[in-house]
Amino acid sequence: MSGEFIAFIILALMAITGATLMVTFTKVVHMVIAMTFTFLSIAGLYFVLEAEFIGVVQILLYTGAITIVMLFGIMLTKHDAEDAQQSHRGWKFFIFLLVVAFGALMLSAIFQVDWPNAPVHYSGEDNTKAIGKQLFTNYVIPFELLSVLLLVAMVGAIILSKREKEDEK
């Protein structure tokens, strides 16, 4: 067992734990914290897989920006004081059994796969440079369309927020 494999297993378990906690928590702030935990674990997985650029983007965009935007969205919107209604204990146990069965099924499927033992050949090229070349040569049109789409979404959000303020007055 190599150190990379151990780090991968630990980060994968952390990501699964964070995702499970995010689904099971009832308070929205706790859900966002669990989701941030999951995003950080996934960024660690990218670093282990030698995709440093994607790992940094994961940290900057998802862990930082989107989590903060979600927290602001939660804090700026109206919520009832009561949490979501707790489900029955029998359903929780049934769902737990389903999750354990699904996990066992996935583990058995993973162990039955014949994984190749061929070594990975690293080209030596900086992956950030390779992503930049692809982004600005082959994918420049989708990149620009995405920037226009994000701009339209931002303007729409501003218009909707101004409209809500005018309705409150």
Side-chain angles (χ1 to χ4, degrees):
M1 256 201 217
S2 67
E4 287 180 350
F5 183 71
I6 293 171
F8 181 83
I9 294 296
I10 290 171
L11 288 168
L13 288 174
M14 287 171 52
I16 292 169
T17 302
T20 305
L21 288 175
M22 204 271 307
V23 172
T24 57
F25 283 151
T26 56
K27 293 187 177 183
V28 181
V29 175
H30 294 160
M31 290 177 180
V32 171
I33 292 170
M35 189 173 57
T36 304
F37 185 72
T38 303
F39 286 156
L40 284 173
S41 302
I42 292 172
L45 287 172
Y46 285 134
F47 284 117
V48 168
L49 296 173
E50 296 181 4
E52 296 87 11
F53 178 75
I54 304 297
V56 170
V57 168
Q58 174 80 17
I59 291 172
L60 289 176
L61 290 182
Y62 286 106
T63 308
I66 291 180
T67 305
I68 297 300
V69 166
M70 289 180 69
L71 279 174
F72 275 115
I74 291 165
M75 299 302 174
L76 294 176
T77 56
K78 296 178 183 176
H79 295 284
D80 292 337
E82 296 181 19
D83 290 330
Q85 191 174 9
Q86 296 289 335
S87 61
H88 299 294
R89 178 166 240 152
W91 280 109
K92 284 187 177 184
F93 182 71
F94 178 69
I95 291 171
F96 175 74
L97 288 178
L98 284 176
V99 169
V100 168
F102 180 74
L105 180 70
M106 288 295 112
L107 279 176
S108 68
I110 288 171
F111 286 125
Q112 290 177 2
V113 172
D114 185 28
W115 299 103
N117 289 331
V120 176
H121 298 289
Y122 182 62
S123 66
E125 185 178 4
D126 185 20
N127 63 7
T128 307
K129 185 177 180 181
I131 290 172
K133 281 183 183 178
Q134 288 293 319
L135 189 62
F136 291 113
T137 55
N138 297 335
Y139 297 103
V140 70
I141 301 296
F143 179 74
E144 291 300 326
L145 288 175
L146 181 64
S147 67
V148 170
L149 177 70
L150 290 173
L151 178 66
V152 168
M154 185 176 67
V155 170
I158 291 170
I159 290 172
L160 286 175
S161 68
K162 290 220 180 234
R163 188 176 299 158
E164 287 179 6
K165 285 183 180 178
E166 291 172 0
D167 291 340
E168 289 176 2
K169 291 181 181 179

